[in-house]
Amino acid sequence: MTNSLLRRSSRPLQHQLGAGLIEVLVAVLVLAVGLLAMGKMNGLLIRDGGTANNRAIAISLAQQKIDDLRSFKWLKDPDPPGAAICGPGIFCYSEIANSVNGTNLGGGSENLLGSLVYPAGTVVVGNTSFNRSWTVVPNTQFNLVTVTISWTDQNGTGTEILQTALLSDDASITALGAAGPGPTLSGPKVVHTPGTAPDVVPVTLADDLKRESSRPAPDVSQHGHSTVVGFLTTNYASGNQQKNTQEEFSTLSCVCEFEAAGTRKGMTATRKVWNPGTKELEFELGESIAKVTGRKPTSGPAAIQPALCDTCCRDHHDVSSASYPKYDPGRSDLSGGDHQHYQAVSGSLVAVNSGEYLEACRFERVNGNFYLMQDW
């Protein structure tokens, strides 16, 4: 019996299967610490992601205002202050430093304050309010614009600043200046292939210079009460078909109405004049002066007309001064300097000086923009 007990006691002890209570508590503690760390990290990521998104929105709002101020149509009014060409509807470069027209992006109050600071009110994007303001340091050749966007989020107050110089030079002049020294560069030789469009007949301008249209028939479109006719012409050397110039024209009819005297100023006729030095025809742009003006009707069927009718109605009036060109020098119906305007009444044209009248204008593209030219 003693030997039997000894034999039993000499057997190795069996290990207990499964985890003990202490091991389980340690595992739970480690898991809890990990989950807390992950939760805190996730919160930081969400918060920092929101701040990064707000910074991106702020930069976009600042660039939006810079693009708005860059959208001027004219440099300045050549006349004394109060001229109507620069103002509501026409944003000029000169107004960047002393007013804030443009497109008034953001919907805030953009009025002049001291030190040329223009607050644009509050722009709300999502649940965040962005305050936009900018300063302008005027200069003869450029305006230094600094746009500041500030906001408040869960990380506190954030600020983004964009600064740029808005040049006063015409875009075409700026492009030429960026091209490098002119005399050392030669422009590309663009070859024109004549007669590609059927029924196009070239016209001889000089011994070696010809002109032809890009198509046998012009483009004609109807916009409400207005008809628009457009076409391209190309001047080329008949010997080597090298393209000399390409011109784009647009002629349209409009329904206009007279404006009250002194409502705004208008442009005189743009025309081509001979330069004896270069022996070429060059554009002489019109000037802004006080004269009779018209406008496109704001209501009724005649309100549905192309944007060019705005310029046609406003500017197509002659000036009494002999120093300015007439839109049609050959017309004999000049009254007080301005040519007569007509309205269709019972199938006949009747001369009118008030109310609505019929108009026709010729435009040509110069440096990328359509200018109202002298009549055909």
Side-chain angles (χ1 to χ4, degrees):
M1 181 174 180
T2 302
N3 293 336
S4 176
L5 290 173
L6 290 175
R7 283 195 298 270
R8 270 202 237 62
S9 63
S10 64
R11 293 177 183 176
L13 296 176
Q14 299 289 336
H15 289 289
Q16 184 176 357
L17 299 178
L21 180 60
I22 295 177
E23 289 89 341
V24 172
L25 292 175
V26 171
V28 171
L29 178 61
V30 172
L31 179 61
V33 171
L35 291 175
L36 288 174
M38 290 181 62
K40 183 176 181 180
M41 183 178 65
N42 190 48
L44 290 175
L45 289 175
I46 293 175
R47 187 180 66 181
D48 292 343
T51 299
N53 183 60
N54 287 338
R55 291 190 180 279
I57 294 174
I59 293 174
S60 177
L61 291 174
Q63 185 62 52
Q64 189 182 53
K65 175 48 64 179
I66 289 175
D67 292 340
D68 174 39
L69 296 178
R70 186 182 282 120
S71 65
F72 59 90
K73 184 176 181 180
W74 302 93
L75 292 180
K76 63 178 182 178
D77 196 309
D79 295 317
I85 189 172
C86 296
I90 299 181
F91 183 39
C92 295
Y93 173 82
S94 60
E95 295 180 292
I96 294 177
N98 58 25
S99 66
V100 280
N101 293 325
T103 55
N104 206 10
L105 297 173
S109 174
E110 301 190 344
N111 297 320
L112 177 63
L113 295 180
S115 302
L116 297 179
V117 179
Y118 312 98
T122 301
V123 182
V124 179
V125 180
N127 296 322
T128 305
S129 297
F130 298 85
N131 294 316
R132 178 169 58 189
S133 63
W134 62 98
T135 61
V136 180
V137 179
N139 189 284
T140 304
Q141 296 299 325
F142 65 89
N143 280 320
L144 183 63
V145 179
T146 303
V147 183
T148 302
I149 309 292
S150 61
W151 72 96
T152 301
D153 55 21
Q154 60 270 31
N155 282 339
T157 301
T159 302
E160 286 293 334
I161 298 175
L162 283 186
Q163 188 175 73
T164 188
L166 301 182
L167 300 178
S168 62
D169 291 333
D170 179 81
S172 61
I173 299 176
T174 304
L176 289 175
T184 63
L185 301 176
S186 59
K189 296 181 179 180
V190 181
V191 176
H192 174 70
T193 304
T196 55
D199 303 328
V200 169
V201 178
V203 177
T204 300
L205 301 179
D207 293 338
D208 192 43
L209 188 63
K210 294 184 179 296
R211 170 185 290 177
E212 69 177 33
S213 175
S214 60
R215 57 186 71 89
D219 292 330
V220 181
S221 58
Q222 188 78 25
H223 300 267
H225 283 250
S226 178
T227 300
V228 182
V229 179
F231 64 94
L232 295 172
T233 63
T234 300
N235 296 351
Y236 62 94
S238 58
N240 55 13
Q241 278 75 55
Q242 182 175 332
K243 186 180 294 186
N244 182 290
T245 60
Q246 180 170 289
E247 298 176 282
E248 181 180 359
F249 299 95
S250 182
T251 301
L252 70 160
S253 61
C254 304
V255 176
C256 308
E257 62 182 12
F258 286 95
E259 290 187 306
T263 301
R264 56 177 173 166
K265 295 190 176 183
M267 302 294 292
T268 58
T270 294
R271 59 176 180 166
K272 282 188 173 182
V273 296
W274 178 255
N275 187 329
T278 61
K279 297 186 180 345
E280 292 182 352
L281 285 172
E282 298 179 353
F283 287 101
E284 182 181 87
L285 301 182
E287 299 181 37
S288 171
I289 61 173
K291 64 172 186 176
V292 178
T293 57
R295 68 175 183 178
K296 185 177 70 173
T298 57
S299 62
I304 307 175
Q305 297 185 93
L308 282 181
C309 280
D310 294 333
T311 304
C312 175
C313 294
R314 183 195 67 190
D315 293 340
H316 202 277
H317 297 267
D318 291 318
V319 186
S320 58
S321 173
S323 59
Y324 293 102
K326 305 295 184 183
Y327 276 100
D328 185 357
R331 290 181 68 161
S332 59
D333 59 349
L334 298 175
S335 62
D338 189 14
H339 60 266
Q340 189 63 63
H341 294 81
Y342 298 88
Q343 176 61 280
V345 178
S346 301
S348 302
L349 290 179
V350 178
V352 293
N353 293 306
S354 62
E356 291 189 354
Y357 60 93
L358 303 176
E359 189 61 278
C361 294
R362 166 204 177 200
F363 289 87
E364 183 171 355
R365 193 179 294 279
V366 183
N367 295 332
N369 296 316
F370 273 120
Y371 284 84
L372 182 56
M373 305 287 293
Q374 284 185 306
D375 295 339
W376 286 107

